[in-house]
Every structure is written in structure tokens, then in C-alpha cells.
Amino acid sequence: MNHMSRLIIPDARGLADAVAAWRDGEIVAFPTETIYGLGADATNPTAVARIYEAKGRPTFNPLIIHAHDAAALAPHAVFTPLAEELAVKFWPGPLTMVLNRNTDSDTKRPVADIATAGLSTIAVRVPSHPVARSLLEAFGRPVAAPSANPSGMLTATTPKHVAQEMADTVPYVVVGGRSQHGLESTIIDLTGPAPRLLRHGAIPLEDLEAVIGKIELHTSSEEPTAPGQLTKHYAPKHALRLNATDPAPGEAYLSFGPQVGKLHAIQRNLSEGGDLTEAAANLFMYLHEFDARDDITGIAVAPIPQTGLGQAINDRLARGAVR
Ligand code: TXA
Ligand code: MG
């Protein structure tokens, strides 16, 4: 397959082209500090529908609404005092907050219902990647953006991942290097009586709890349950085998921490120094690399500590192992 999406260099002209495409109701993939997103004008229902179509994503699964700053999101979401505190502390950055939709606002351009899957709540985020910020500021409207991968498949952390895997459905990819965090944003739901964590992500749970105290987990893969109970997500084409201290014949090996014994034939180390931040940034890179090979029978993955970002990494691996 030689045909790829068009890569856009984020100079003044490239940014203007991408913004013009958004204005025309087209979908454009773009870099964020977490992962690559597939964006469209959140106020244009037809444009948002194109996102669902391109990803093969069920329309009952709502999207995150991105903007250049919190003020730009205020017409669309009700910021409680706690939400304001978290916005000050973590934005711009990899935190997504689920808030009630703002129904009092007289904004002329509301977020399309299809973007929030018709819910009375809305997930909002202000990314920190300079290219994302330039695009959002120039566009001046909220942008709905899921991860730029086919639904259920591996997350894209380079422009090439997007351009290759979504070649047939995504016309443009704005280039912005390798994703800094390599994991999706952390999602916290602030619409109930107490904050609830909906997704482990680039901000470790402990960092959030240091600011607002204990957070109830509602990520549904919290207990190491049978894979069948987890929804398949973040899945490579090759089977994943977790907590493997060694690869079986034919398997590629994704290790973590200091090398024990000799290197295996097909091996990548998420972080030799045992650094979970580095491991997170490498995770999808290496899974994509292994997935491109047809000379392996599966991917064995070393145990990853269940602390800090390890929780987000293990969450991705557990769902990716679901067949
Ligand atoms: O880092 C990220 O968050 C990336 C970049 C592009 O910003 N986006 C991303 O989007 O990961 P996506 O669509 O792959 O994941 C968004 C998650 C989904 O699991 C969705 O169900 C959830 O957010 N979500 C969106 N709106 C919600 C809402 N109102 N209530 C609960 N969950 C919501
Ligand atoms: Mg996703």
C-alpha cells in the first residue's frame, strides 16, 4: 500500500491550510502532546460524522472537545470550582474533564450533539502541544478529536502511523514529531458527587490525588479481570502475551528495565533504566514496529510495575490483549 494521507508541515501556510480544511468541514489529523488526534469542527455535525466514519467508531461513543484555552470552552461546559482549579493546575496539558454541558449559554455555535453522543455531559481538554495550540487558536472554534487510529486499534504516536493506517479515510495529517507522552490524556469525571477517574492516562493518578485528594476509580479494568470482561482497544494485530519473563519461539519481546541475560532475537526495551515516563512514550512506537513484521507469531511483554504511569501502561496492555 503506497498511498498515504498528505503530510502537512506546520509552517504558516500549512497551518492555514489545515484550518481552512476544518472550516470546510473536513477532518484533519494533528499532533498533541499525548498522541495524534483526528480533529473536526465540533460545531459542524456533518464534519463530526466524518470522524466517526473514518475511524469506524460507534456513534454512541462521545468525543473529547479541544480548545485553545478554558475560556473558549466555557460556553460549552459548566466549570465547577473544582474544574476551574484543575484547569489552572493542569491546562494546557494531558487532562480531560467530563463536565455538564452548558445549556444556559447563548452561543450561536453550540457543540454538535453527535460530538457528545447526545449526552448531557461533555469531555473537554486544552492540549499543550505548540502545533495543536496554534491550530486551535487560529481556528477559533472547538475541535472534536478522538485518537487518530482505526477504532479499537493501536494508538498513533507519529504522523507516519496515521498516514499509513488511515490512508484511505484521512486526507491530511499535520506533522508534529513523536508524541511526547505517548499515552492518551487522563480522564476525570466531575459531574457526580465525587470526582471519578474514567481513564488512566498521561497524568498519573497520584498527581491528581495530590491536588484534590482520593479519586474513585471507574475505569472498569481496575481489577485484573478476565480479558473477556475488558473491551478490546489499543490492539495490535499480533497477539499480546502479558507478564512474560521470556519470549516463546517466534514471539517478539517487549522488555522493561535492565537487560537480564542475552538479548532476544527480536526485542525492544521500553526503558532500560526502568523509567515509566520513557516506557509510556515508547509503548505504541514499539508495538507499531512489531506489528509491521510478518515474521513473528505474537508479542510477549514483560511485567510493568502498577505504579504511576505503569497503571496507564498496564491498562493499555490489558485491553490490547483482548482478542
Ligand atoms: O489524549 C487524548 O485524550 C486524545 C487527544 C487527541 O486529545 N484523545 C482521545 O480521544 O484519546 P478518544 O476518543 O480516543 O478517547 C476519548 C474517551 C472515550 O473513551 C470516550 O468514551 C470518553 O473519552 N468520553 C468522551 N466524552 C465523554 C463523556 N461525556 N462522558 C464520559 N466519557 C466520555
Ligand atoms: Mg482512542
Side-chain angles (χ1 to χ4, degrees), residues 35 55 57 146-147 149 155 184 199 233-234:
I35 58 163
K55 273 183 70 89
R57 176 178 177 123
S147 50
N149 53 271
T155 299
E184 290 81 352
R199 178 172 75 186
H233 215 117
Y234 316 108

Side-chain angles (χ1 to χ4, degrees), residues 224 240-246 253-254 299-305 314 317:
L240 281 182
R241 189 166 64 82
L242 308 184
N243 298 311
T245 45
D246 270 307
Y253 191 45
L254 193 56
I299 303 168
V301 188
I304 311 292
N314 284 322
L317 289 170

Side-chain angles (χ1 to χ4, degrees), residues 27 35-38 49-63 145-156 161-162 165-167 169-170 184 199 231-237 284 288 291 319-320 322-323:
I27 53 178
I35 58 163
Y36 274 74
L38 183 56
R50 293 199 172 106
I51 296 179
Y52 285 97
E53 198 186 333
K55 273 183 70 89
R57 176 178 177 123
T59 47
F60 55 75
N61 191 359
L63 306 176
S147 50
N149 53 271
S151 189
M153 309 306 277
L154 283 181
T155 299
H161 294 156
V162 186
E165 275 142 51
M166 306 214 66
T169 50
V170 175
E184 290 81 352
R199 178 172 75 186
T231 352
K232 177 180 162 189
H233 215 117
Y234 316 108
K237 296 178 200 94
F284 286 112
H288 272 285
D291 236 15
R319 291 176 206 260
V322 175
R323 293 276 110 187

Side-chain angles (χ1 to χ4, degrees), residues 200 218-225 230 306 314-315 318-319:
H200 289 291
H218 210 260
T219 59
S220 80
S221 75
E222 232 23 76
E223 322 296 333
T225 41
L230 306 173
Q306 183 66 359
N314 284 322
D315 169 85
R319 291 176 206 260

